[in-house]
Amino acid sequence: MSELAQQAAVLREKLNQYAHEYYVLDAPSVPDAEYDRLFRELQAIELANPQLQTPDSPTLRVGGKPLPQFSPVTHAVAMLSIRTETDVTEQGALAFDASVRKELGLAENDPPVEYAAELKFDGLAINLRYEDGVLVQAATRGDGATGEDVTQNIRTIGQIPLRLKGDAPALLEVRGEVYMRRDDFAKLNAKQIAAGEKTFVNPRNTAAGAVRQLDPAIAAQRPLSFYGYGLGDLSGWDSQPNTHAGILNALRDFGFPVCDLRAVVLGGVGLAQFHAQVAAQRDELPFDIDGVVYKVNSIAQQRQLGFRTREPRWAVAHKYPAQEALTTVEAIDIQVGRTGSLTPVARLAPVFVGGVTVTNATLHNQDEIDRKDVRVGDTVVVRRAGDVIPEVVSVVFERRPMIEQPGADLFTPTQVPQYPAYRILELYPTCPVCGSKTVREPEEARVRCTGGLFCSAQRKEALKHFAGRRMMDIEGLGDKLIEQLVDADLVKTPADLYRLNLSQLAGLERMAEKSANNLLAAIEASKSTTLSRFIFALGIRNVGEATARDLAQHFTSLDALQVATVEDLQAVNDVGPIVTQSIIEFFAEPHNREVIASLLEVGVNWPVIEAKPLDGVLVGKTLVITGTLPTLSRDEAKALIEANGGKVAGSVSKKTDFVLAGEAAGSKLDKAQSLGVAILDETALRRMLNV
Ligand code: IVH
């Protein structure tokens, strides 16, 4: 092997190890910048020597060229489905055990059957083929006999190993589910909204859509996850475990994510217990499930049981009660939120869904109402997933109450819906709480009250946010209490909280002197906070916890943040034009500046933040890139410079420290020369950064 090939092999191994630590173990051993540096090094080698790019190279994870279509893949071992047990009670588990015992010819006093119980993930089934430990093909299930080759897309999933760890069999096919976590789904949709793009409906469809995306660059941007749950074709696996649970452990050792929420249980009772235990945790799981799956644990018993036409006799999926139900919309109310948005809420005829009685469901905004065309009187499908607010999924139009319209034609009377389409702005030209004018900005989905903190609904929400656990963390100051304080006119702004006294608090309903004292102590204690909590607590639109943290770290003082210009703000990590606009607007409002001044006056304080010294040879240096570089793309060069502490600017000025110039550099190079700015080529930059 040439020296370069060896270098590439070492880089591949390191990068694959780091990816496993980061994506599967959730315990990275090196900083992201180190991974990126090695990644670019390998990319540069492969770019110059394409023959050195192997199928397990992590550089393939970024996605290649779009495909005209997927090629069909014939599965070496058919991808079967499993029977679904529709009895959602524990009887479903007992019935499966009974059928297994019968098929195995067990008598009543024979010992219980051992089962592997696991989750039924709600995504898309995938077959991963590894030859000599290297991922060579990934295919969808298709009709079970033939699927589609989605290798390019699957390689972009960081959790899926490109090379197996340990002693790999000559051939190993691993089956599992590609899915999307709920938090990743929410983040993806937030990003879509920020970019003015359409949002996705649910994690399952989004994951399935991403895998079947012809452009792998798009698939690479979708945050997908994977869990292994079984095997396909195999050869040369000498130490193959003889239980399903053992196989899952082996998959984990090969480097696959395998879900920890699984158990080996005995008999139908053990299965029923697992079913109940998962039901209790279901809402808190980081991803959606479709039920649980029971598999006979012993591989020998699985062989003995065999298959029906398309399903194994040794496995079954056991579902949970529906999370969806039908009910009617009795009214549509409006709630005014923290930032003044008028949110329509459907008042529903009480209905039992997903284990609780639901009487309200959010309708989100006008666009959502328009899209679903929800009207008062409609029969609707409501869904309660997780502990999120119940949602109206769709209208059952066949059941819409209609009234006859005396028409021109006596023989064909026309019918129209009993209620007109619901238009927030027409029904509420003014805020239902404070009477201020309402508006809908052209680019926004929401109708908003312009009353600001004059509106008591907005004041209440702003105060609830301010006092929250992740903000100023005022213990004991709950929503109900805040509502009382605002209604009694004791508190208008957050600063007023710090001016409350014992007699005012003790005068409130259901407030004993002891709890009033505790509350005063909690308010006092909240004065000592951190800058990032304080920024978050202010409730600036579009500034969440993470952004508040970035802002605090970047500006290190509230003064600096208050006077920051658009340019200063855009220089902060992940702060785009929308967030910038919200921050500028917030501090431009005199009322907000007054509240901040009062808060500081009453003694809210935080420790001084030491400016975090960046490391890297380019700290404090500004570079401008021009022309085409021999190996690095513009983005790669930018990332390399930033990873070493430097900044990249768009135009050359006296403040520019270096111009990084490539082939066909134009006016920027001329300008640099005339200003006497130092000029680097890629080689010089690499030498400087030692890459
Ligand atoms: S085992 C022969 N285990 O459910 C057994 N399937 O009908 C093959 N699924 O679309 C499947 N979680 O993708 C198995 N823990 C799990 C599963 C699971 C989800 C999906 C699978 C397929 C369907 C099976």
Side-chain angles (χ1 to χ4, degrees):
M1 216 193 307
S2 75
E3 201 176 305
L4 208 55
Q6 216 156 33
Q7 200 182 335
V10 170
L11 286 168
R12 275 197 306 270
E13 194 180 321
K14 275 194 191 168
L15 287 164
N16 282 331
Q17 173 62 21
Y18 295 156
H20 178 70
E21 290 168 357
Y22 183 91
Y23 289 107
V24 182
L25 305 180
D26 210 2
S29 65
V30 296
D32 294 3
E34 175 65 5
Y35 180 91
D36 295 346
R37 191 180 69 79
L38 299 178
F39 188 91
R40 281 189 302 265
E41 210 174 299
L42 178 59
Q43 225 171 13
I45 293 176
E46 290 175 353
L47 213 62
N49 313 274
Q51 79 285 1
L52 292 182
Q53 186 175 49
T54 56
D56 66 335
S57 174
T59 57
L60 292 168
R61 289 204 191 272
V62 291
K65 287 197 195 68
L67 299 170
Q69 68 197 48
F70 294 117
S71 334
V73 172
T74 307
H75 295 300
V77 173
M79 287 183 83
L80 301 176
S81 61
I82 31 184
R83 184 174 68 83
T84 301
E85 173 58 65
T86 46
D87 183 341
V88 298
T89 71
E90 67 165 29
Q91 281 308 316
L94 301 178
F96 172 61
D97 180 51
S99 80
V100 167
R101 291 186 72 85
K102 188 170 153 228
E103 298 284 349
L104 288 175
L106 296 177
E108 215 167 302
N109 52 2
D110 282 324
V113 175
E114 197 174 271
Y115 295 100
E118 57 200 57
L119 303 181
K120 185 159 196 283
F121 311 106
D122 203 7
L124 186 74
I126 289 290
N127 184 67
L128 304 172
R129 189 176 171 91
Y130 291 82
E131 290 173 6
D132 295 320
V134 176
L135 175 66
V136 294
Q137 189 181 63
T140 60
R141 191 169 88 123
D143 63 7
T146 310
E148 289 176 322
D149 184 335
V150 289
T151 316
Q152 281 209 86
N153 291 345
I154 292 299
R155 278 208 186 101
T156 68
I157 304 175
Q159 287 191 336
I160 292 182
L162 300 177
R163 172 182 283 278
L164 301 179
K165 283 156 59 82
D167 258 343
L171 171 65
L172 177 72
E173 284 188 358
V174 172
R175 289 179 178 173
E177 198 88 349
V178 172
Y179 67 97
M180 191 175 285
R181 290 170 54 100
R182 289 174 183 156
D183 55 355
D184 284 334
F185 175 73
K187 272 186 242 160
L188 176 63
N189 264 351
K191 231 161 88 186
Q192 292 291 109
I193 292 168
E197 310 257 345
K198 73 163 184 34
T199 54
F200 296 99
V201 178
N202 61 44
R204 200 206 90 82
N205 291 357
T206 315
V211 171
R212 304 198 55 256
Q213 171 60 247
L214 286 167
D215 183 353
I218 296 180
Q221 287 162 21
R222 304 280 185 261
L224 299 173
S225 297
F226 177 82
Y227 273 135
Y229 57 60
L231 299 175
D233 202 8
L234 271 182
S235 82
W237 194 6
D238 303 330
S239 55
Q240 187 189 341
N242 57 11
T243 62
H244 181 72
I247 288 171
L248 293 188
N249 291 340
L251 292 186
R252 193 193 50 211
D253 295 342
F254 282 136
F256 293 96
V258 174
C259 186
D260 284 332
L261 186 46
R262 58 187 165 112
V264 174
V265 301
L266 290 179
V269 175
L271 293 175
Q273 267 168 3
F274 184 80
H275 188 253
Q277 183 204 332
V278 172
Q281 278 169 268
R282 186 180 183 193
D283 288 355
E284 279 75 51
L285 292 176
F287 46 83
D288 289 347
I289 58 167
D290 203 21
V292 287
V293 177
Y294 310 140
K295 296 172 184 170
V296 170
N297 198 29
S298 150
I299 303 300
Q301 282 181 330
Q302 286 189 4
R303 288 215 183 92
Q304 204 182 329
L305 287 159
F307 296 83
R308 272 183 216 99
T309 8
R310 296 184 49 87
E311 306 157 348
R313 285 200 190 83
W314 45 264
V316 77
H318 196 188
K319 298 250 182 181
Y320 286 108
Q323 309 254 90
E324 289 187 355
L326 287 187
T327 186
T328 53
V329 177
E330 296 183 331
I332 297 176
D333 287 350
I334 288 289
Q335 274 173 3
V336 182
R338 173 165 64 85
T339 54
S341 48
L342 271 59
T343 303
V345 178
R347 300 283 171 225
L348 306 169
V351 60
F352 194 69
V353 41
V356 300
T357 301
V358 168
T359 53
N360 303 315
T362 178
L363 293 169
H364 299 291
N365 55 47
Q366 184 70 56
D367 285 348
E368 285 292 299
I369 293 186
D370 293 349
R371 195 167 62 77
K372 298 170 187 159
D373 188 20
V374 182
R375 304 183 189 201
V376 175
D378 276 341
T379 297
V380 291
V381 179
V382 284
R383 182 177 165 80
R384 200 191 79 97
D387 46 7
V388 298
I389 312 160
E391 198 179 16
V392 170
V393 179
S394 57
V395 173
V396 186
F397 289 107
E398 301 75 49
R399 299 219 200 151
R400 172 168 281 173
M402 305 290 266
I403 44 176
E404 261 172 38
Q405 183 99 317
D409 187 342
L410 280 175
F411 300 100
T412 54
T414 48
Q415 291 210 318
V416 297
Q418 197 169 342
Y419 290 94
Y422 191 89
R423 304 237 170 277
I424 303 173
L425 207 51
E426 283 165 26
L427 292 165
Y428 297 96
T430 59
C431 171
V433 176
C434 73
S436 300
K437 197 167 112 49
T438 58
V439 292
R440 182 177 178 184
E441 306 293 348
E443 290 294 300
E444 278 197 28
R446 297 187 161 250
V447 174
R448 211 173 282 287
C449 158
T450 56
L453 292 178
F454 169 73
C455 176
S456 69
Q458 291 187 52
R459 258 196 332 256
K460 284 175 186 171
E461 295 309 312
L463 285 161
K464 287 176 194 172
H465 175 84
F466 183 82
R469 201 172 46 78
R470 282 148 48 230
M471 301 78 174
M472 298 300 279
D473 192 18
I474 308 181
E475 216 186 306
L477 186 56
D479 292 2
K480 285 273 167 306
L481 200 53
I482 288 174
E483 281 166 24
Q484 282 188 60
L485 289 169
V486 172
D487 291 339
D489 244 349
L490 290 173
V491 171
K492 282 205 173 62
T493 77
D496 297 337
L497 290 170
Y498 295 93
R499 303 194 184 102
L500 288 169
N501 60 39
L502 189 61
S503 70
Q504 287 173 323
L505 285 180
L508 294 173
E509 225 179 290
R510 273 180 305 215
M511 175 68 85
E513 190 171 315
K514 185 158 181 290
S515 30
N517 268 321
N518 287 344
L519 181 57
L520 284 177
I523 292 174
E524 184 62 30
S526 76
K527 284 182 184 172
S528 301
T529 183
T530 64
L531 179 57
S532 70
R533 274 174 177 270
F534 185 77
I535 295 171
F536 185 30
L538 291 175
I540 305 168
R541 261 172 76 190
N542 301 308
V543 174
E545 196 169 14
T547 307
R549 214 176 294 134
D550 289 345
L551 291 169
Q553 191 55 248
H554 185 93
F555 291 102
T556 74
S557 83
L558 185 64
D559 289 341
L561 174 62
Q562 290 206 58
V563 299
T565 63
V566 170
E567 272 182 8
D568 297 338
L569 289 164
Q570 301 259 25
V572 183
N573 247 350
D574 284 340
V575 169
I578 294 172
V579 177
T580 299
Q581 175 75 6
S582 303
I583 298 171
I584 297 274
E585 276 174 17
F586 183 88
F587 289 115
E589 174 63 54
H591 176 85
N592 291 333
R593 290 204 303 269
E594 278 162 35
V595 170
I596 291 172
S598 310
L599 284 167
L600 299 178
E601 208 176 282
V602 296
V604 171
N605 66 86
W606 51 84
V608 172
I609 300 175
E610 303 286 337
K612 188 166 100 187
L614 287 163
D615 46 2
V617 277
L618 293 176
V619 170
K621 305 281 183 226
T622 303
L623 286 84
V624 172
I625 309 171
T626 177
T628 312
L629 301 171
T631 75
L632 293 172
S633 74
R634 195 164 280 250
D635 283 344
E636 287 164 353
K638 182 164 183 276
L640 186 61
I641 290 165
E642 287 172 352
N644 285 281
K647 265 197 206 152
V648 175
S651 57
V652 180
S653 73
K654 277 186 296 197
K655 288 192 199 146
T656 311
D657 295 293
F658 300 104
V659 165
L660 174 59
E663 188 91 354
S667 62
K668 289 182 189 173
L669 184 58
D670 299 341
K671 183 149 184 211
Q673 276 160 344
S674 71
L675 289 173
V677 174
I679 295 159
L680 300 174
D681 62 6
E682 187 183 312
T683 319
L685 178 78
R686 285 180 178 280
R687 212 175 302 126
M688 204 159 139
L689 304 182
N690 224 346
V691 294

